[in-house]
Amino acid sequence: MKAAFLTDRGVIKLSGMDVRGFLNNLVTSEIEVVAPGIARFGALLTPQGKIITDFLVTEASAGHGGGLLIELPRELAAPLATKLGFYKLRAKVTVDNLSDALGVLAVWDGEPAMKPDLTYPDPRNAALGYRILIPADLAAKTATVIGADLVDEAAYEAHRIATGVPRGGVDFAYGDAFPHESNMDRLHGVDFDKGCYVGQEVVSRMQHRGTARTRIVGVVLDGDAPTAGAEIRAADKPIGTMGSSADGRGLALIRTDRASDALDADAAFLAGGVPIHFADPDAVRALAPKKTIA
């Protein structure tokens, strides 16, 4: 079993008597089911349905003061805290940025010998294992206690990529991607049965009409890793951009309709001049919107 402290992750705490309803009315996931040891994946969207930030949210136990803990990219913690403060109006909610005190230990490839407080399974994909919210200086001790080898966070990045889970800011751009484009609908990040939230109409329309043409998919590299953001071409036509990569695997944001047509034509795919191929070509074809006959 491996563990890595993720230095790029921060934590925001929301507390107060109105906190659960307040957050539930803003974000894509169902907050009512969040509890100590149980997390949900979600996002705050623009009114146009694009991702401002995605996050994991869990509840602190009473022994840790209660409240909801939001784990997200550290560089977005302060902006999100400010934005939530703007949204709260008269709601009895307090927003605190705890990123200097709490960070994230990712644990995978095994079951922890014990689960410290503020431990929860990653709700996006079981293969990602567990998350533990701890101060950075307790990472080594916590890894020993749970029976894990503490490794560099690059090892976790390689595991995340192999698992096919996108990372915002690398595999898609915040402020420019819809939840379907970053596979949030496939990673349990959107509850289509909950009530209204910011951007909900756009997301629901894409779901019911099946209009998401752009998706993140896994690719296998046939050479050196392309630079993130490198253009992917097939038959000399652009079909997408390269995202993160490690150990011969990568993630790419592609137009599934164009990629499907290129697969059918047996075209070669190049990312910044590097040959690549899809890890699951049939899945790419299945993701392409169905063609309609006029």
Side-chain angles (χ1 to χ4, degrees):
M1 185 168 61
K2 302 179 183 66
F5 190 79
L6 308 182
T7 58
D8 65 326
R9 303 294 285 181
V11 179
I12 289 175
K13 180 175 182 177
L14 274 63
S15 54
M17 62 183 301
D18 297 334
V19 64
R20 198 172 288 265
F22 163 73
L23 190 61
N24 204 46
N25 289 335
L26 292 177
V27 303
T28 61
S29 47
E30 178 53 71
I31 302 301
E32 294 298 336
V33 300
V34 170
I38 299 174
R40 282 294 179 268
F41 178 42
L44 178 67
L45 310 179
T46 67
Q48 294 76 34
K50 295 189 176 183
I51 302 171
I52 294 174
T53 184
D54 54 355
F55 53 78
L56 303 180
V57 56
T58 190
E59 184 178 12
S61 65
H64 284 270
L68 298 177
L69 297 172
I70 298 176
E71 173 209 328
L72 74 167
R74 181 162 184 163
E75 64 181 8
L76 297 181
L80 180 62
T82 299
K83 185 171 287 291
L84 291 176
F86 170 79
Y87 273 122
K88 75 177 186 177
L89 299 176
R90 297 181 181 178
K92 296 180 179 178
V93 175
T94 300
V95 183
D96 295 301
N97 186 355
L98 304 183
S99 299
D100 289 336
L102 279 182
V104 179
L105 186 73
V107 181
W108 71 100
D109 281 354
E111 190 70 16
M114 56 87 69
K115 296 183 177 68
D117 291 342
L118 305 183
T119 298
Y120 48 91
D122 193 312
R124 296 172 292 179
N125 187 316
L128 289 178
Y130 291 85
R131 319 283 276 195
I132 306 174
L133 303 184
I134 56 169
D137 59 1
L138 293 182
K141 180 179 180 180
T142 302
T144 299
V145 168
I146 66 175
D149 295 325
L150 187 66
V151 297
D152 189 271
E153 58 190 305
Y156 174 77
E157 275 293 281
H159 178 64
R160 175 191 65 78
I161 292 166
T163 304
V165 176
R167 175 185 169 191
V170 181
D171 298 309
F172 64 92
Y174 287 117
D176 193 46
F178 294 104
H180 285 79
E181 293 179 331
S182 65
N183 294 340
M184 287 193 66
D185 58 318
R186 301 166 66 86
L187 294 170
H188 318 293
V190 181
D191 190 315
F192 293 102
D193 296 322
K194 68 174 287 185
C196 294
Y197 55 87
V198 178
Q200 182 258 348
E201 289 186 6
V202 177
V203 176
S204 294
R205 191 181 310 125
M206 293 185 74
Q207 174 72 6
H208 295 304
R209 294 183 180 178
T211 55
R213 295 184 300 177
T214 306
R215 288 279 190 176
I216 292 176
V217 301
V219 298
V220 178
L221 312 180
D222 293 334
D224 294 334
T227 303
E231 184 179 62
I232 300 173
R233 301 181 71 86
D236 205 30
K237 296 180 181 178
I239 67 159
T241 55
M242 192 68 199
S244 55
S245 57
D247 297 345
R249 301 291 296 271
L251 297 175
L253 182 66
I254 63 162
R255 277 281 299 266
T256 55
D257 52 347
R258 296 178 183 175
S260 181
D261 289 344
L263 284 168
D264 292 342
D266 200 25
F269 295 86
L270 297 173
V274 177
I276 66 171
H277 60 271
F278 295 116
D280 189 344
D282 290 338
V284 172
R285 290 186 175 99
L287 286 169
K290 299 297 182 287
K291 295 179 180 179
T292 57
I293 299 176

